[in-house]
Amino acid sequence: GSIAAAHSPMAVPPPPSALVAKAATAALLAAAQLDPAQLPALVRGADSAAAELARRLGGWDPSATLAHRHHAEQCERHGTALAAAAPPPSPSPAA
């Protein structure tokens, strides 16, 4: 989506790391609600899910390459959107 105001004609994508940060925060908040004795099983489950995702993407190296490429594309899109949404520079005062 966009982080611009609802009435804005410009679509400004969120920073590339926003989704990861929100997902990590959600996982930590969910874990905080658990009995501490359940945390090791939660961590094992997360490790298993990460390993399965990497396996489906062809291994750790291809997964990291895909993640890096996606991050770079998101950075470029974000920069382009911010540049388009920025107000024009103010004229410099006459000397």
Side-chain angles (χ1 to χ4, degrees):
S2 174
I3 59 171
H7 62 278
S8 174
M10 301 298 284
V12 179
S17 59
L19 181 60
V20 173
K22 290 200 178 291
T25 301
L28 289 172
L29 288 172
Q33 302 301 311
L34 295 176
D35 176 359
Q38 294 177 326
L39 288 177
L42 178 68
V43 170
R44 282 192 301 276
D47 286 349
S48 295
E52 177 63 15
L53 178 60
R55 184 192 67 74
R56 289 182 184 196
L57 293 172
W60 290 109
D61 288 341
S63 298
T65 299
L66 287 171
H68 184 280
R69 186 179 313 136
H70 178 73
H71 180 73
E73 289 168 0
Q74 294 300 312
C75 286
E76 186 175 334
R77 285 183 58 218
H78 184 66
T80 300
L82 288 179
S90 300
S92 57

